[in-house]
Amino acid sequence: MKIAIPTKDQRVDSHFGQCDHYTIFTIDEAKKIESTEEYDAPVGCGCKSDVAALLKAKGVETMLAGNMGQGAVNKVTQAGIQVVRGCQGNIETVVKQYLTGFILDSGFICSHTEGDDHQCAH
């Protein structure tokens, strides 16, 4: 299994479409981290890029993210990647918590407003 996390400074980036890069974790059958790799984020908004298809082509099945807009959620799920929103903190800790069942999707959707402020709601 492969899990991708929008990343900045080894932490879950709070906004999917503005992350520095994606960290892709390969998980073995015992639910242990086997390896990691970094994948540079494309320039521009996540929902308007082809990042979902590129991550799927790399074998990613799950996205653990902080906040995501509905367009990004739609694009990632349409690519066949499960989205889990509301994640925060150190990326390795987040993956381990997810694998042990301690992280579930928050249901929060992030929307853009004038001045690139963000509002998040259920």
Side-chain angles (χ1 to χ4, degrees):
M1 168 182 12
K2 289 192 178 186
I3 297 172
I5 299 182
T7 306
K8 183 176 183 178
D9 300 325
Q10 293 300 306
R11 299 184 66 75
V12 177
D13 195 312
S14 63
H15 195 273
F16 165 80
Q18 298 175 356
C19 71
D20 180 59
H21 64 278
Y22 296 89
T23 304
I24 301 172
F25 290 82
T26 300
I27 309 302
D28 67 17
E29 291 180 13
K31 292 190 175 184
K32 303 285 184 202
I33 297 170
E34 186 175 282
S35 64
T36 62
E37 68 177 287
E38 292 185 1
Y39 182 75
D40 289 337
V43 177
C45 179
C47 65
K48 295 179 182 158
S49 73
D50 59 353
V51 71
L54 295 171
L55 291 172
K56 184 63 178 180
K58 290 188 157 288
V60 171
E61 298 171 23
T62 303
M63 168 81 62
L64 303 179
N67 297 319
M68 291 178 76
Q70 188 62 56
V73 171
N74 292 346
K75 193 131 188 176
V76 173
T77 57
Q78 287 170 358
I81 299 172
Q82 174 191 10
V83 175
V84 178
R85 298 160 288 180
C87 301
Q88 60 183 351
N90 175 276
I91 57 174
E92 188 171 326
T93 300
V94 167
V95 168
K96 288 177 180 177
Q97 289 174 336
Y98 173 75
L99 293 171
T100 57
F102 286 105
I103 295 179
L104 302 173
D105 185 45
S106 69
F108 286 105
I109 298 293
C110 191
S111 62
H112 298 280
T113 60
E114 288 297 317
D116 201 32
D117 291 332
H118 298 95
Q119 295 178 347
C120 299
H122 287 281

